[in-house]
């Protein structure tokens, strides 16, 4: 069984997947870091591969840019392919002086100006948070390697080009960086993980099979909206390598 967006058959995708935005990045990651990668998807050029890392099956697939794109791909990975650990690897812009170019931002939480969570009918503001287990593992790996990292909130923005510098308001609320996807990823993971919670009636059919769905976004700071600094190609590559090391070492523990 495939989906309208993914040609993989059940079983083709590992329980742990790395999710860069760029599908060509997924190809490079598969070819550089995974042993024996096999491509499972090319629908809309959203390339996906499964191989192994330190003996563990690991997949990698592009998500495209923005909340609608990662929203649908991650939903399908969780619900139709049984993926349990979804680790977004990307770049983000720093909106806080503490998050320096070259740092790894680990998104403990993701805020948004998107309407994505309105589907849940909540009478309030939802806090989308990462998996504490994945976050803790990522922090420990970064510490072991001595990679500079910072943990906190980010903004998953619906807009890249904005009429006004909206990031300033989010910076005042402690957001460290801005990207465009993690909020939907975190919503999908937690919604699936809590499929069995909140049933009105004990006799209502509940599904516990998603209980262990976990998500985390980690980012290299590619530019600073605060200072206007940008990374050189060489710096970007080094920073990317550190982030990948963290993501893969986490994957190896799952
Ligand atoms: N805005 C949104 N996403 C980004 C940015 C940005 O400035 N930099 C890297 N990803």
């Amino acid at each position: 069984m495939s989906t309208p967006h993914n040609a993989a058959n059940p079983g083709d995708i590992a329980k742990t997947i790395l999710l860069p935005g760029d599908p060509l990045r997924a190809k490079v990651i598969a070819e550089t870091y995974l042993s024996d990668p096999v491509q499972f998807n090319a629908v809309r050029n959203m390339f996906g591969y499964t191989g192994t890392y330190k003996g563990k099956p690991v997949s990698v697939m592009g998500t495209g840019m923005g909340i609608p794109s990662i929203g649908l791909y991650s939903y399908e990975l969780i619900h139709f392919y049984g993926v349990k650990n979804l680790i977004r690897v990307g770049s983000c812009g720093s909106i806080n002086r503490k998050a320096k170019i070259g740092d790894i931002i680990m998104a403990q939480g993701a805020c948004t100006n998107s309407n994505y969570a309105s589907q849940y009918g909540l009478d309030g503001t939802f806090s989308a948070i990462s998996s504490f287990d994945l976050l803790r593992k990522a922090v420990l790996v970064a510490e072991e390697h001595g990679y500079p990292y910072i943990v906190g909130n980010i903004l998953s923005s619906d807009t890249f080009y904005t009429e006004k510098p909206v990031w300033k308001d989010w910076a005042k609320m402690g957001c460290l960086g801005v990207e465009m996807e993690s909020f939907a990823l975190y919503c999908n993971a937690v919604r699936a993980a809590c499929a069995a919670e909140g049933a009105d009636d004990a006799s209502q059919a509940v599904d516990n099979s998603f209980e262990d769905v976990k998500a985390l976004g980690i980012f290299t700071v590619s530019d600073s909206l605060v200072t206007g600094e940008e990374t050189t190609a060489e710096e970007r590559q080094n920073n990317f390598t550190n982030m990948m090391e963290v993501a893969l070492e986490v994957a190896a523990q799952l």
Side-chain angles (χ1 to χ4, degrees):
M1 183 211 67
S2 57
T3 78
H5 319 103
N6 197 330
N9 289 308
D12 288 351
I13 307 179
K15 74 171 183 172
T16 300
I17 195 163
L18 309 182
L19 299 169
D22 179 356
L24 287 177
R25 223 342 116 74
K27 184 171 193 280
V28 170
I29 291 170
E31 288 168 355
T32 310
Y33 298 104
L34 301 185
S35 302
D36 308 317
V38 175
Q39 188 169 344
F40 62 73
N41 191 49
V43 177
R44 288 178 184 248
N45 289 329
M46 200 56 81
F47 306 130
Y49 307 81
T50 299
T52 59
Y53 179 77
K54 296 196 172 169
K56 281 273 167 78
V58 174
S59 295
V60 56
M61 181 178 167
T63 64
M65 286 181 281
I67 279 174
S69 191
I70 195 168
L72 76 90
Y73 286 112
S74 60
Y75 186 95
E76 291 180 349
L77 290 167
I78 294 166
H79 291 269
F80 306 145
Y81 294 102
V83 175
K84 300 296 186 197
N85 306 301
L86 300 97
I87 305 175
R88 169 161 155 64
V89 285
S91 65
C92 73
S94 169
I95 58 173
N96 183 305
R97 282 168 206 283
K98 289 187 202 138
K100 306 262 189 313
I101 300 263
D103 286 357
I104 298 171
I105 293 182
M106 301 184 184
Q108 183 177 17
C111 304
T112 197
N113 51 14
S114 143
N115 210 25
Y116 191 79
S118 67
Q119 64 179 301
Y120 306 116
L122 302 164
D123 185 18
T125 308
F126 176 67
S127 297
I129 59 168
S130 58
S131 151
F132 179 69
D133 181 44
L134 297 188
L135 178 60
R136 188 174 56 91
K137 285 183 165 66
V139 165
L140 291 175
V141 172
E143 299 237 318
E144 265 168 38
H145 288 78
Y147 298 150
Y149 72 94
I150 180 163
V151 175
N153 225 336
I154 60 160
L155 170 64
S156 298
S157 178
D158 250 359
T159 43
F160 186 88
Y161 300 106
T162 54
E163 197 68 26
K164 295 177 199 153
V166 291
W167 62 269
K168 291 189 177 179
D169 293 327
W170 296 96
K172 287 176 189 161
M173 292 304 290
C175 289
L176 303 172
V178 55
E179 50 86 80
M180 304 185 75
E181 291 83 17
S182 296
F183 184 86
L185 178 66
Y186 289 5
C187 284
N188 284 351
V190 78
R191 176 68 189 91
C194 296
E197 306 299 330
D200 298 329
D201 169 354
S203 65
Q204 200 172 310
V206 292
D207 185 349
N208 294 316
S209 62
F210 291 113
E211 255 168 20
D212 46 355
V213 176
K214 298 174 184 177
L216 174 67
I218 61 177
F219 306 91
T220 57
V221 177
S222 58
D223 53 288
S224 170
L225 282 73
V226 183
T227 63
E229 272 175 289
E230 288 178 5
T231 28
T232 64
E234 191 189 347
E235 282 169 330
R236 260 202 303 276
Q237 189 53 45
N238 289 340
N239 301 341
F240 172 77
T241 305
N242 293 356
M243 175 186 66
M244 282 312 306
E245 185 91 5
V246 171
L248 288 160
E249 288 303 318
V250 172
Q253 295 173 43
L254 297 168

